[in-house]
Amino acid sequence: MSVPAELVDLALNALEEEVACWRKVPWRPDYTRLMRFSDTFDAPIGPAEVPEEATITCHDVPSHMADDMIVRFAMEKAVEAVIGAISVGSAND
């Protein structure tokens, strides 16, 4: 059984978009602050450029786990996107 190319593309796009929302900021020795900026804007963000309507989520994690955590968060979004597409597709059948 093969996975439809549309679902693979949807999952990869969701993964890529979610990874792009996250920034890693050194926080304290051996810790990194992961900051996720809401999807309300696409441009690179600096400290003085965050719009008021933006939502920022922060997680302080051990530095050696920072990349793994971003991948985990992104995988959750990819799975949600695929499940949503399957749910919509099966509702239309």
Side-chain angles (χ1 to χ4, degrees):
M1 180 175 167
S2 64
V3 177
E6 295 85 14
L7 288 180
V8 173
D9 291 342
L10 178 68
L12 291 174
N13 289 340
L15 185 79
E16 193 173 277
E17 289 171 10
E18 184 64 16
V19 168
C21 291
W22 289 91
R23 304 290 182 270
K24 294 189 295 185
V25 180
W27 183 239
R28 55 181 205 217
D30 298 327
Y31 274 81
T32 298
R33 174 164 282 183
L34 301 179
M35 300 178 72
R36 184 191 188 281
F37 295 88
S38 63
D39 301 331
T40 57
F41 47 92
D42 296 325
I45 304 162
E49 301 170 5
V50 178
E52 289 183 26
E53 69 274 4
T55 301
I56 301 172
T57 305
C58 297
H59 297 280
D60 296 336
V61 299
S63 295
H64 71 278
M65 294 177 60
D67 291 331
D68 293 338
M69 293 300 294
I70 291 174
V71 170
R72 178 178 175 221
F73 296 139
M75 288 298 295
E76 288 176 3
K77 291 291 185 177
V79 169
E80 288 173 7
V82 170
I83 289 173
I86 291 171
S87 298
V88 169
S90 63
N92 292 332
D93 290 340

